[in-house]
Amino acid sequence: MGGHKEQDVARQGFDVADAVPLLLDPHGLVSSWTAGAERLLGYRAAEAVGRKFAELLPPEDAERVPDLIERCRSDGDWAGLMTARHRDGRPVAVMVRITPTVEPRGRSSLLVLLSELAGAAGWDMSRAVLEQMVTGTSIGIAIVNTELRFVWSNAALEQFGGGPAEQRLGLRVADVQPGMNAEAIEAQMRHVLDTGEQVVGYELVGRARSAPLRETAHMLSFTRLDDARGRPMGVYYTVVDVTERHRARQRLALLDRAGEHIGRTLDILRTAQELADVTVPELADFVIVDLLETVLRGAELPPGPLTGSGRVPLLRAGHRSVYEDLPRTVVETGAVVSYPAGSPPVRCLTTGRSWRQEQLDPLAPEWAATPGGRESTFLELGLQSAMVVPVRARGVTLGVTTFFRRRWQNPFDEDDLHLAEDLVSRAAVCVDNARRYTRERDAALVLQRSLLPRRLPEQDAVEVSACYRPADELTGLGGDWYDLIPLSGARVALVVGEAPGHGIGAAAAMGRLRTAVRTLAAIDLPPEEVLAHLDDLASRLAQDEGDGESGDFPGRSVGSGCLYVVYDPVDGQCTMAAAGHPAPAVVAPDGTVTFVDLPQGPALGVGGPPFEAVQLSLAEGSTLALHTDGLLTGGRPSSDGTGRERLRQALRGAATALEPSCRAVVDMLVPARPYDDVALLMARTRRLDPGRIAVWDLPADPAVVAEARRTSTRQLARWGLDDLVFTTELVVSELVTNAIRHAGGPVRLRLIRERALVCEVFDGGATAPHLRHPRAMDEGGRGLLLVSQLAQRWGTRFVPDGKIIWAEQSLTTPPE
């Protein structure tokens, strides 16, 4: 052994109670041998006495014996570690102490004390060494007896509270640490005493007497102590302070929870409330989130911190409190609060930097002020510590988040501020995303609502109701649309369509399609021809936009769907055609629901077979339900194939009145925030009273024109429309004359009294008349020009066996 190690061991003292004594004479010969020495080394007294002590040691230790004997004679005691040799040849690790002695007769000798070590490799420890280890460690160590009362503890345990070791003796954990969960600790001790199983790494969180205002965490381990017979003597346990590790784990867990719960929607107020919900009570007792009013409107903000002086108004976007008495200071979400210039929230807004105060001025009034609200001091509210963190994202300040703790809580420290900044920065990105989305969504909503009909035109062909439900905030607005277009002859066109995609692009594409449909409807084309023209339009637009492959132009029409239906209230005939769109449902007057067997044409612009139309006769009081595919899928991205059956059940259970029925069907099938937008147009058919229709077949003879005038005059008299006799005579005369002159075959005159007086003349010709502007000296060519001046509107539509020229006169506006 080295000299330093020997000196260190000598200073440790020697466990005399466990030592085996023997005597050496001045020459190092064994002069006295004991029974303990025999048990330790195996030699009998006759074998050991008279032998050199060095012969009982291995060579490396035997060489040291003469020097050690000489050192003891001059310097006194020596103590250290050696290895003795047992009689059977095995080594025995021993602690050796050599002390000079004087016998009663004056003879000098050496007392050698041998203490066997535990036999472990390396540093085998005596009780003295072990005591030094347990008293010098920073780990709290204690021993309790079978009654769970302290019988020993080291000095390090005092740092966890409970007083000095001598004051603990005979007491239990609850006596020395009333703030700790003593029942849980003693339950672990009893478990160890009963089972002998060691408990390692038991974590206890609470408030110790040493830190009553601060939550602490300790790691405890318990081991049972047994006597020589294996009977339990008590429990040995250790305590380690793991508060910092516990707080770090809490911070990571809070950040993970924030990532899961903040920003789940693109709603600004909901995101702000999620920030407050996540941080209470783990970080603060009371949290409020205030945002600039422009943020909630989705408006653009100037980059950098805000500037200005005076009171700053903010909108309360979210708040959360642990205590029932704190909400008396909280205004409702969306209400305006103002902060005085120089207050910490305003400073954070203007500087863009966080602020923290461990101890608030108890007599200072709270910062936020509401109109007519009573000011309360921080003392009245019981608020002690505060942090204010600006809500900043992408270099823009959006508002502030304020954190409070009450008096009996530990004040906010620097770690708390860093954690709050991490949480607020995450929420700020979500709030800014929601703000940007709000701006885009509002713009798309304005565009879409400006393109959708604000109210459907009044007419007598159908009773109509419509419902549109936009997609949720995560997918954005879609391109669904609907329309009702009055046609000539008291007919109406019912249209439902869907442009692909979401957002402003889809709304723009929808607007273009709706405008094109209205233009084609004015030409009075059959449904299949309307879709054919729309198909050509979508293809040409795709070519102009580079086939839409780059995606640079957002308003693509390729792939759009459209259903075009024409209903005639005179005879109840309904003609329809579809382009990549679901067929409508028909609710009969008795409540039976069927779906029209409608050939499905290709979507617009993708190419395919020509469009086909079907014609059916609808009984008066039948209801047509035109809808987009979102109604069948429940607003979800995919369908389970039961959409038609669900729609059938919804239409059966709908109310009789059309307006509540339309909304009830949508509410039944589609959530409040669907994945895809939904449009439903319901039209209940009517039939015109036969008394409001007059028809005459006329021969192709110019002489019949005068009779046509007289006949129409008598009909107007029966309808009480004497004010329109003069203009009607002129219109009938010109239209009948034009038909007889330019077309062959019979002529049919029909008058319809609806919201307007409709005059129709049918002939078998295939050419459309043209409006001309004759010169002053021309003898003819003024017929259609005169009709266009007298009628509110006029036009031509083709039928399978000819054409119809028609003109309408208003029944509400007197003729000029």
mmCIF file of all heavy atoms in Angstrom, residues 7 137 410 476 533-534 643 684 794:
data_model
loop_
_atom_site.group_PDB
_atom_site.id
_atom_site.type_symbol
_atom_site.label_atom_id
_atom_site.label_comp_id
_atom_site.label_asym_id
_atom_site.label_seq_id
_atom_site.Cartn_x
_atom_site.Cartn_y
_atom_site.Cartn_z
ATOM 1 N N GLN A 7 -1.693 6.452 5.506
ATOM 2 C CA GLN A 7 -1.968 7.545 6.445
ATOM 3 C C GLN A 7 -3.451 7.856 6.496
ATOM 4 O O GLN A 7 -4.011 8.112 7.558
ATOM 5 C CB GLN A 7 -1.174 8.776 6.044
ATOM 6 C CG GLN A 7 0.328 8.602 6.168
ATOM 7 C CD GLN A 7 1.092 9.774 5.575
ATOM 8 O OE1 GLN A 7 0.479 10.769 5.211
ATOM 9 N NE2 GLN A 7 2.404 9.647 5.484
ATOM 10 N N THR A 137 -21.839 12.138 2.245
ATOM 11 C CA THR A 137 -22.554 12.207 0.973
ATOM 12 C C THR A 137 -23.627 13.294 0.994
ATOM 13 O O THR A 137 -24.099 13.718 2.057
ATOM 14 C CB THR A 137 -23.200 10.846 0.665
ATOM 15 O OG1 THR A 137 -23.843 10.925 -0.594
ATOM 16 C CG2 THR A 137 -24.242 10.486 1.713
ATOM 17 N N ASN A 410 -44.889 30.020 -5.903
ATOM 18 C CA ASN A 410 -43.518 30.451 -6.110
ATOM 19 C C ASN A 410 -43.482 31.492 -7.228
ATOM 20 O O ASN A 410 -44.135 31.324 -8.258
ATOM 21 C CB ASN A 410 -42.657 29.245 -6.499
ATOM 22 C CG ASN A 410 -41.196 29.487 -6.235
ATOM 23 O OD1 ASN A 410 -40.841 29.982 -5.176
ATOM 24 N ND2 ASN A 410 -40.364 29.137 -7.189
ATOM 25 N N GLY A 476 -61.366 25.102 -46.546
ATOM 26 C CA GLY A 476 -61.689 26.324 -47.265
ATOM 27 C C GLY A 476 -62.958 26.193 -48.083
ATOM 28 O O GLY A 476 -63.608 25.163 -48.152
ATOM 29 N N HIS A 533 -72.114 23.399 -74.787
ATOM 30 C CA HIS A 533 -71.417 24.686 -74.893
ATOM 31 C C HIS A 533 -70.524 24.923 -73.671
ATOM 32 O O HIS A 533 -69.413 25.468 -73.802
ATOM 33 C CB HIS A 533 -72.434 25.816 -75.040
ATOM 34 C CG HIS A 533 -73.039 25.908 -76.416
ATOM 35 N ND1 HIS A 533 -72.354 26.414 -77.493
ATOM 36 C CD2 HIS A 533 -74.265 25.551 -76.880
ATOM 37 C CE1 HIS A 533 -73.121 26.378 -78.574
ATOM 38 N NE2 HIS A 533 -74.301 25.856 -78.230
ATOM 39 N N LEU A 534 -70.999 24.544 -72.485
ATOM 40 C CA LEU A 534 -70.159 24.680 -71.286
ATOM 41 C C LEU A 534 -68.916 23.812 -71.393
ATOM 42 O O LEU A 534 -67.821 24.217 -70.966
ATOM 43 C CB LEU A 534 -70.956 24.281 -70.040
ATOM 44 C CG LEU A 534 -71.981 25.275 -69.501
ATOM 45 C CD1 LEU A 534 -72.698 24.668 -68.300
ATOM 46 C CD2 LEU A 534 -71.312 26.580 -69.099
ATOM 47 N N GLY A 643 -75.108 7.190 -49.443
ATOM 48 C CA GLY A 643 -75.567 8.579 -49.488
ATOM 49 C C GLY A 643 -76.988 8.714 -50.001
ATOM 50 O O GLY A 643 -77.791 9.484 -49.452
ATOM 51 N N ARG A 684 -90.572 22.994 -55.653
ATOM 52 C CA ARG A 684 -91.866 22.312 -55.664
ATOM 53 C C ARG A 684 -92.666 22.817 -56.859
ATOM 54 O O ARG A 684 -92.896 24.029 -57.006
ATOM 55 C CB ARG A 684 -92.602 22.566 -54.356
ATOM 56 C CG ARG A 684 -93.936 21.846 -54.230
ATOM 57 C CD ARG A 684 -94.398 21.864 -52.804
ATOM 58 N NE ARG A 684 -93.480 21.098 -51.948
ATOM 59 C CZ ARG A 684 -93.397 21.268 -50.629
ATOM 60 N NH1 ARG A 684 -94.142 22.170 -50.012
ATOM 61 N NH2 ARG A 684 -92.558 20.528 -49.929
ATOM 62 N N TRP A 794 -87.799 39.914 -75.613
ATOM 63 C CA TRP A 794 -88.282 39.040 -76.670
ATOM 64 C C TRP A 794 -87.153 38.127 -77.096
ATOM 65 O O TRP A 794 -85.988 38.339 -76.759
ATOM 66 C CB TRP A 794 -88.814 39.860 -77.861
ATOM 67 C CG TRP A 794 -87.685 40.499 -78.654
ATOM 68 C CD1 TRP A 794 -86.990 41.617 -78.362
ATOM 69 C CD2 TRP A 794 -87.135 39.983 -79.873
ATOM 70 N NE1 TRP A 794 -86.029 41.858 -79.290
ATOM 71 C CE2 TRP A 794 -86.097 40.878 -80.243
ATOM 72 C CE3 TRP A 794 -87.419 38.877 -80.681
ATOM 73 C CZ2 TRP A 794 -85.347 40.687 -81.401
ATOM 74 C CZ3 TRP A 794 -86.675 38.701 -81.831
ATOM 75 C CH2 TRP A 794 -85.636 39.604 -82.177
#
